[in-house]
Amino acid sequence: MHRLIIINPGSTSTKIGVFEDENLVFENTIRHTVEELKGFARVHDQLDFRKEIILKNLEVNHIVISEIDAVIGRGGLVKPIESGTYEVNELMLEHLRIGYMGEHASNLGGLLAFELARDIGCNAYIVDPVVVDELQPVARISGLKEIERVSIFHALNHKAIARRYAKVINRGYEDLRLVVVHLGGGVSVGAHEYGKVIECANALDGEGPFSPERSGTLPVGSLIKLCYSGKYTYHEMKKLLTGMGGMVSYLGTNDAREVVKRIKEGDEEAKLIYQAMAYQISKEIGAVSVVLKGQIDAILLTGGMAYDDLITEWIKDMVKFIAPVEVFPGEDELLALCEGGLRVLRNEEKAKMYFESEALAL
């Protein structure tokens, strides 16, 4: 039996879990107030603060850390890398501290895992960060030489659900062609071919279909005019596209449950916008299906919105001619991180190392 500590930091919370193999024996979400965090200028400045709270929480709940075999942290914004479980090393720590691909609370995942693992005397890992990039060369061409398409998506959940489905049908993930759709605050649609995501949009910047709070790909000419209209600064435009876009822009909320409630109460505008989101997601599924030449074993819908039968049925109705559609609601990130660590501890796969020379050599 393997015992693991899992750490998943968010902007105002730190989720921790303790697993014995795949069995969750302890879970807690530690909330951090704005008052507690306002004194930290940068994300990595919160490291000691969050570490102390985690250790106290484990102690109070009688978790004996000396019995832990590995600590797994949520992967942050490191350089683009292949999918897998990576051992935290000095270069990764440096890139997480400086925010190589940007500042985000998830950068603390690897840092916190390393700190705890060093105290315990075990290894620290991260699993499938959002910057997993396995695009084929042709997918990187944008149409403008100065801009290259990049892959930033919900890699952890994509990969975990793909593997889970493969296990259900008694096949290997590396033997399947799948389209995986994460339906959350952001939406990402990926073409999975034999264990690699060869096509996926940059969901962090809101590319692809619009989502509850992201604008999705917009008409370029109109977007340029808006950027130069004088109404918005650069940072205001970024927020407009990746926080105030999508459903928020039209309906003033990013909560799909509230939108469904409005629809049931007869709100026709809410129905139109919600249908439009399903329509765009379905179009994206069709687009990435072409990348796989229509040879698809299944289309998998996952994420928080996958709990809602209304949107999943709309999507199914539009794409079921392509391949069977299966629904895996939610995003159990703690379990997904645990599974990545267990694959290494059980010698089912080898932990990857994060190197400067290999970080972009995919």
Side-chain angles (χ1 to χ4, degrees), residues 202-217:
N202 180 350
L204 180 66
D205 282 350
E207 188 184 355
F210 79 79
S211 75
E213 56 186 37
R214 293 173 189 169
S215 68
T217 302

Side-chain angles (χ1 to χ4, degrees), residues 83 132-136 151 153 155 158-159 173 180 189-201:
S83 171
V132 163
D133 187 342
E134 301 169 326
L135 296 184
Q136 54 186 337
S151 165
F153 68 111
H158 267 247
K159 294 280 185 172
Y173 169 49
V180 181
V189 182
H192 295 236
E193 184 176 54
Y194 308 136
K196 292 187 182 296
V197 182
I198 62 171
E199 171 60 47
C200 196

